[in-house]
Amino acid sequence: MKRGLSFLLMCMILLGSVSFGCAEDQTVSLTALMVLPEGTDRETLNALLTEIAQETGVQIAWEQKTEQEWSKEKEKRFASGQLPDLLFNAVTEEDIKARPDLFAELSMISFRHAPALQGMFSDEPDTLALASNANEDMYSVPAFLGMEPACETMMYINRAWLEKLNLSMPKTLSELKNVLKAFRDSDCNGNGDLSDEIPMDWCGWFGSPYSLTNLIGSWGVQLTNDGADGFFAENGEVKNYAVDERYRALLLYANELYTEGLVSKKATRGEEADYLARSHGDKRGYAIVGVAIGKSAESQFGEELKDQYVPLPPLDNSDDMLTTSEARWSYDYSGLNIRGSCAAVSAGCADPEAAMRFLDAFYRKEISEKTLQNGLTGVLPVYIRRADTEALRADDERQAYAEALANVDMVTEYYPQECMNYTAREEAALETLLENVNKVTHQWWPRFMTGKADIVSEWDAYVRQVNDAGLPELLAIRQYAFEVYQGK
């Protein structure tokens, strides 16, 4: 949000740094609730909390509950209105929207009493966008992990099969198809069975993280955060590839793979457990999948087979005139690294300034590093600077996608859907419209791919159905929110 706030943020950081030092000299007593995931090291956690209390001069009377305990009593506590001063890992965005009267609005308090938090907002503006609502009010504080990769899913190819068949790594969609044909027609895994190889596999539905729709980037469509539900931005305009000619071209390609026996017949079902089982090979330990989409080689193929697979970089589509730019891949950095609603302050807090001073300590570099080292990033607010984790990303197997991801235009193409803000009325409209649109896209995707519907003759009828379901209205609402996010 609101990129125009950058100058204001810097001014407020300076003000906050002055007020922080003055307030820290006084000891304040507050109450707090912390909800702990299973397996949390409470001894280490409590030691860190004690350290922060001593540094900030804010003494906390803690109430700690498991997630299961809190889920049973949360609604009752909310209904009573009797909440502690601070709530950690206990409040969701939906809770705040349903009962905003229970929580303190933190934007101005944070400007004056949270310089480290404001520093994160300045460095990573999407954290402020995520924490703020359509009125630019903030009722909880977020976290920035800074250590997750720039893309979540990758396409893998069996390198051992390539080497056995003396094939080069494919660089285009046409080359991939030829490789898949070779996989289909050969005993690649060497088990004596020419029929058990699955040249290519994926998992299911339109827009799935493991779907072939990831390949829409080969037509120059830049997705962000898995391109959930088909939305993307191009030249500053919010679009949905479900009605784009480039998606039609992808469907034609998918249909060719399917009808020529180059993909698992189960790929359209969307059964993730079954998909992973196929990737893990047969009962004798032989690999049976040539190309698949997953999050890591180990999770996708298992410990025994992972070394056979390497990431397959984004593929150019040199044979299609619709392609106007280099191949793209989904840019997922913000969605993977930002976590919302980490902590909130109750509306009845005895000393909101002291509460914010206490919260701000978690965003200091030394405290955030301790939080990370002690495995507490899923419990506490945290700010891990991306500059401090560059070495992690440099060693990641996702380096095969680094060049493509570097091409993202962060002004006209970057579309962080989770950071868009809507009014309650807009959210209600979006929910209904999206449900209606998805019913159409999810229905037609497997039909087109398997040939049960003819892509050439039925495309126009399909597009009319998507638009009649409400896509133009959906895009208009999202476009306005996108422009507000950009500060226009």
Side-chain angles (χ1 to χ4, degrees):
M1 189 167 85
K2 312 233 179 21
R3 302 184 183 218
L5 287 178
S6 297
F7 177 74
L8 176 60
L9 285 175
M10 293 307 299
C11 294
M12 291 301 185
I13 290 169
L14 295 176
L15 289 174
S17 64
V18 174
S19 62
F20 183 92
C22 297
E24 200 172 20
D25 295 334
Q26 302 175 4
T27 299
V28 178
S29 296
L30 299 176
T31 59
L33 165 70
M34 181 168 290
V35 178
L36 304 177
E38 184 177 353
T40 300
D41 184 344
R42 296 198 183 200
E43 182 177 351
T44 300
L45 169 64
N46 291 334
L48 182 59
L49 295 175
T50 299
E51 176 184 341
I52 295 172
Q54 293 172 346
E55 289 184 4
T56 59
V58 181
Q59 299 303 314
I60 304 289
W62 287 101
E63 177 186 5
Q64 295 183 346
K65 292 186 176 296
T66 65
E67 292 176 337
Q68 184 176 15
E69 290 171 339
W70 178 237
S71 66
K72 291 180 179 179
E73 62 178 81
K74 180 170 73 171
E75 291 306 319
K76 184 178 180 180
R77 292 280 291 272
F78 283 175
S80 72
Q82 300 300 310
L83 297 176
D85 296 314
L86 283 157
L87 300 97
F88 289 80
N89 204 33
V91 177
T92 67
E93 182 180 344
E94 289 71 27
D95 294 332
I96 294 170
K97 289 178 180 178
R99 296 294 302 272
D101 57 302
L102 293 179
F103 307 100
E105 202 287 304
L106 303 175
S107 57
M108 292 309 300
I109 301 174
S110 70
F111 283 150
R112 293 184 57 82
H113 299 278
L117 174 62
Q118 292 301 322
M120 182 181 74
F121 287 160
S122 179
D123 295 340
E124 305 291 346
D126 280 349
T127 58
L128 178 59
L130 183 65
S132 305
N133 63 21
N135 296 321
E136 301 187 8
D137 294 329
M138 181 173 68
Y139 288 92
S140 66
V141 294
F144 186 82
L145 300 178
M147 56 188 296
E148 297 299 329
C151 65
E152 183 169 22
T153 56
M154 294 172 286
M155 187 160 54
Y156 290 91
I157 190 166
N158 193 308
R159 178 174 52 189
W161 290 11
L162 287 175
E163 293 174 351
K164 181 176 182 178
L165 301 179
N166 197 29
L167 296 172
S168 300
M169 181 79 74
K171 296 181 179 179
T172 69
L173 293 175
S174 294
E175 291 177 5
L176 174 63
K177 185 177 177 181
N178 290 332
V179 166
L180 296 178
K181 288 180 179 179
F183 286 173
R184 178 196 62 192
D185 298 335
S186 306
D187 182 20
C188 296
N189 57 21
N191 67 354
D193 186 349
L194 286 171
S195 65
D196 68 338
E197 281 82 7
I198 300 172
M200 188 173 189
D201 203 2
W202 63 78
C203 186
W205 61 99
F206 172 91
S208 159
Y210 305 107
S211 173
L212 191 70
T213 50
N214 281 281
L215 282 185
I216 194 70
S218 293
W219 281 265
V221 174
Q222 180 60 61
L223 302 181
T224 52
N225 298 328
D226 288 327
D229 302 308
F231 293 97
F232 69 103
E234 188 171 53
N235 298 322
E237 180 183 355
V238 179
K239 300 180 179 181
N240 190 297
Y241 64 71
V243 294
D244 195 295
E245 285 293 319
R246 291 166 290 186
Y247 176 59
R248 179 179 180 272
L250 171 61
L251 288 171
L252 289 169
Y253 182 76
N255 176 251
E256 289 176 3
L257 299 184
Y258 189 87
T259 56
E260 294 185 34
L262 303 179
V263 61
S264 170
K265 297 298 182 182
K266 299 178 180 180
T268 62
R269 297 179 183 177
E271 298 172 357
E272 188 173 332
D274 191 32
Y275 171 61
L276 289 174
R278 296 194 297 272
S279 292
H280 278 60
D282 65 12
K283 294 180 180 179
R284 293 180 294 171
Y286 289 100
I288 60 174
V289 173
V291 175
I293 298 171
K295 294 184 179 181
S296 73
E298 183 172 357
S299 64
Q300 187 65 34
F301 306 105
E303 183 67 31
E304 298 300 320
L305 295 177
K306 67 177 183 178
D307 292 337
Q308 291 189 25
Y309 293 86
V310 293
L312 178 58
L315 300 166
D316 287 328
N317 188 15
S318 56
D319 298 332
D320 197 314
M321 296 302 293
L322 292 172
T323 302
T324 58
S325 63
E326 296 178 346
R328 305 300 187 92
W329 197 257
S330 183
Y331 180 84
D332 309 322
Y333 188 81
S334 59
L336 295 176
N337 283 281
I338 301 175
R339 181 166 60 89
S341 302
C342 295
V345 179
S346 70
C349 177
D351 193 330
E353 291 80 7
M356 184 53 66
R357 189 167 78 244
F358 184 80
L359 286 177
D360 190 59
F362 292 95
Y363 298 96
R364 297 186 210 168
K365 185 174 181 178
E366 64 275 14
I367 296 298
S368 288
E369 289 176 349
K370 290 180 181 180
T371 300
L372 175 62
Q373 293 165 2
N374 292 313
L376 298 172
T377 56
V379 183
L380 302 174
V382 66
Y383 174 29
I384 305 300
R385 282 73 174 162
R386 69 169 77 193
D388 295 339
T389 60
E390 288 179 354
L392 288 175
R393 293 190 294 277
D395 293 337
D396 191 87
E397 59 184 348
R398 289 166 175 79
Q399 280 298 298
Y401 297 87
E403 183 178 350
L405 295 172
N407 290 329
V408 181
D409 187 320
M410 299 302 288
V411 176
T412 64
E413 295 180 324
Y414 176 54
Y415 182 57
Q417 299 188 54
E418 73 283 355
C419 296
M420 301 296 102
N421 292 308
Y422 305 98
T423 65
R425 187 173 184 177
E426 288 172 335
E427 286 188 342
L430 285 171
E431 183 178 357
T432 299
L433 291 168
L434 185 59
E435 181 179 358
N436 293 338
V437 168
N438 281 347
K439 284 180 181 178
V440 180
T441 57
H442 289 199
Q443 174 189 3
W444 281 86
W445 153 254
R447 295 181 62 214
F448 278 142
M449 193 189 79
T450 60
K452 293 180 180 179
D454 183 72
I455 300 168
V456 175
S457 64
E458 297 185 65
W459 174 258
D460 290 343
Y462 156 74
V463 170
R464 283 195 297 273
Q465 282 192 29
V466 176
N467 286 328
D468 289 345
L471 181 60
E473 296 90 338
L474 194 55
L475 290 174
I477 297 173
R478 285 175 172 252
Q479 181 68 37
Y480 178 76
F482 185 49
E483 292 176 1
V484 171
Y485 164 81
Q486 293 184 312
K488 295 182 178 180

